[in-house]
Amino acid sequence: WAPSDSGLGASQIGDLVFQPGNSSIVYAATDAGLFKSIDNGANWTSLPGTVPFINKLALDPLNPAIIYAATNAGVFKSIDGGNSFTAMNNGLSTPVRTVAVNPVTPNILYATVGGSPYFKSIDGGASWTLNLIPLASRIDSITIDPNTPTTLYAVTNGGIFKSTNSGSNRTQLNTGIPN
């Protein structure tokens, strides 16, 4: 391991995301906002107009200029590669822990908040619908299967759950995972 933080003026990094199709471009979600590297993380530049305390990032796989930032103040969307962001919180509660983009239909998004419900958007974040999951666990992240985007995985403090129908039903996948 070697340090790779030249220009990265943040004390807490919540996420690193590579740009689809160009692995030399890396984004860092930090407590000081969004940073971008164009040289595989050797040097970083703070992007203007970002919000602080970004928990997680998600990039549109079909249009890398579209970036979603999950923050304590909600979901923010950039359509210009992170130079400016717009709040996308209609129907969404906060704080937002994570956001995930459907790899085939990027207008479909999932966001998790501080409990077991999650929110879904079918219009690129313009509006959100609450989806209640009767779990006794806090959802920390949602991951979408890139080959079968109706299959979701929810990582919770009570284990891993899988849904094969976009979250409507789920089964627990804890075999072999210690408590």
Side-chain angles (χ1 to χ4, degrees), residues 4-173:
S4 185
D5 58 2
S6 179
L8 191 59
S11 61
Q12 192 172 32
I13 300 169
D15 201 8
L16 288 175
V17 177
F18 289 90
Q19 180 174 301
N22 187 349
S23 62
S24 64
I25 297 177
V26 187
Y27 293 93
T30 77
D31 59 346
L34 184 63
F35 288 78
K36 180 180 182 178
S37 171
I38 59 172
D39 56 9
N40 298 302
N43 297 286
W44 296 90
T45 303
S46 175
L47 294 177
T50 64
V51 293
F53 301 105
I54 300 173
N55 299 318
K56 297 289 181 184
L57 293 172
L59 275 63
D60 182 321
L62 305 180
N63 182 352
I66 299 177
I67 301 170
Y68 295 94
T71 75
N72 290 347
V75 170
F76 290 79
K77 180 180 183 178
S78 173
I79 59 171
D80 59 10
N83 291 310
S84 63
F85 280 83
T86 303
M88 306 297 283
N89 297 322
N90 183 21
L92 185 64
S93 65
T94 59
V96 178
R97 300 177 67 82
T98 190
V99 62
V101 179
N102 183 303
V104 174
T105 311
N107 278 338
I108 299 176
L109 311 171
Y110 298 90
T112 64
V113 295
S116 66
Y118 70 92
F119 289 82
K120 181 178 180 179
S121 173
I122 59 171
D123 54 15
S127 62
W128 296 89
T129 303
L130 175 65
N131 290 278
L132 295 174
I133 298 177
L135 299 175
S137 304
R138 178 189 74 241
I139 299 174
D140 292 318
S141 70
I142 290 180
T143 301
I144 303 169
D145 183 323
N147 297 314
T148 310
T150 55
T151 299
L152 309 176
Y153 295 87
V155 177
T156 75
N157 63 339
I160 299 171
F161 291 82
K162 177 181 179 180
S163 170
T164 57
N165 55 7
S166 300
S168 296
N169 299 61
R170 68 225 130 266
T171 56
Q172 197 164 10
L173 303 175

